[in-house]
Amino acid sequence: NAGVMQNPRHLVRRRGQEARLRCSPMKGHSHVYWYRQLPEEGLKFMVYLQKENIIDESGMPKERFSAEFPKEGPSILRIQQVVRGDSAAYFCASSPGGLSSYEQYFGPGTRLTVT
Amino acid sequence: QKEVEQDPGPLSVPEGAIVSLNCTYSNSAFQYFMWYRQYSRKGPELLMYTYSSGNKEDGRFTAQVDKSSKYISLFIRDSQPSDSATYLCAPGTDSSYKLIFGSGTRLLVRP
């Protein structure tokens, strides 16, 4: 009964490179959420997706960040032209949807370091 | 003012103590109140949640919401060293499923 899976667990990128973070939701879950945790800060919502749809991206920076959740395969959070300020832990959560959408189960996170 | 405030701690208690962890919030539209536990360098783990006001009990944990004072509490009875972690409250509204996290309270239970 696998939980939310994220990979890679650690990612090092030089400034200007692209980062791709992947998230596979729990079995039976069709809703995915991405959150970012900066050092010494709380988790901040970034985006909420269902299969092939972005439902709420109010927390996504306007530039360089994008997310998708295709019909097949994992959800991807993509950061183009990374900068040092993008260094953080990125967590993905999933929920079953419907009335249980607030029950969000988190993955282990991807720790992005930009050098 | 932040939407959700938590005392960062650390809160240090002896094993077996009753622990009280608290949050205050400003948005009266919050209806869901989640508590997560996060061990160092791990993902948050959903502990329990309540909808609207009232209490909910699960084993050694009790969650309490007082909407009139916008105050959320998590009580841990018979605390164990394995409870040492950061505890995050995270309310949400009916209209949006994004959770608004507090910055967390670090708890240390001494053997």
Side-chain angles (χ1 to χ4, degrees):
Chain A
N1 193 11
V4 177
M5 293 167 59
Q6 289 188 248
N7 64 80
R9 296 290 305 276
H10 299 275
L11 183 61
V12 179
R13 284 287 177 265
R14 290 201 187 100
R15 279 178 295 171
Q17 290 185 319
E18 179 180 287
R20 279 187 182 233
L21 288 62
R22 286 177 288 278
C23 168
S24 296
M26 284 177 73
K27 189 175 180 180
H29 286 189
S30 57
H31 297 221
V32 165
Y33 313 79
W34 286 93
Y35 291 80
R36 176 165 65 174
Q37 188 172 39
L38 293 166
E40 306 304 323
E41 289 190 23
L43 286 102
K44 298 281 194 283
F45 168 82
M46 298 182 76
V47 62
Y48 163 32
L49 310 108
Q50 295 177 21
K51 287 281 188 183
E52 299 184 284
N53 278 309
I54 297 174
I55 307 301
D56 180 352
E57 55 181 349
S58 58
M60 287 276 271
K62 294 285 186 283
E63 297 175 353
R64 302 187 298 106
F65 285 72
S66 62
E68 63 176 7
F69 189 15
K71 190 176 178 182
E72 303 289 339
S75 174
I76 307 282
L77 179 68
R78 183 178 173 212
I79 311 171
Q80 295 178 290
Q81 299 173 343
V82 296
V83 300
R84 286 232 173 95
D86 297 333
S87 295
Y90 291 83
F91 292 97
C92 166
S94 72
S95 74
L99 293 176
S100 298
S101 288
Y102 52 88
E103 283 186 52
Q104 297 176 22
Y105 296 88
F106 282 77
T110 293
R111 277 163 181 80
L112 172 65
T113 302
V114 179
T115 62
Chain B
Q1 184 192 6
K2 290 183 181 177
E3 277 193 281
V4 181
E5 303 258 18
Q6 271 187 277
D7 186 330
L11 176 62
S12 180
V13 301
E15 184 175 353
I18 296 174
V19 176
S20 171
L21 301 160
N22 308 295
C23 285
T24 57
Y25 64 92
S26 57
N27 187 350
S28 56
F30 286 146
Q31 290 281 28
Y32 301 99
F33 301 93
M34 324 296 284
W35 280 98
Y36 286 85
R37 176 173 63 192
Q38 187 175 25
Y39 292 108
S40 181
R41 303 189 73 75
K42 303 286 187 189
E45 172 193 357
L46 179 59
L47 274 179
M48 59 191 306
Y49 57 90
T50 53
Y51 178 76
S52 196
S53 280
N55 292 2
K56 186 173 182 180
E57 190 174 317
D58 184 0
R60 295 186 296 113
F61 298 88
T62 300
Q64 202 169 73
V65 177
D66 181 347
K67 294 192 77 180
S68 62
S69 56
K70 297 189 178 71
Y71 197 80
I72 318 164
S73 299
L74 178 71
F75 298 96
I76 307 174
R77 287 182 299 282
D78 188 25
S79 56
Q80 303 294 309
S82 58
D83 295 329
S84 298
T86 297
Y87 289 79
L88 306 162
C89 64
T93 67
D94 270 330
S95 58
S96 164
Y97 296 119
K98 65 183 177 187
L99 297 175
I100 309 299
F101 280 83
S103 54
T105 299
R106 197 154 66 91
L107 171 67
L108 175 63
V109 181
R110 308 185 305 271

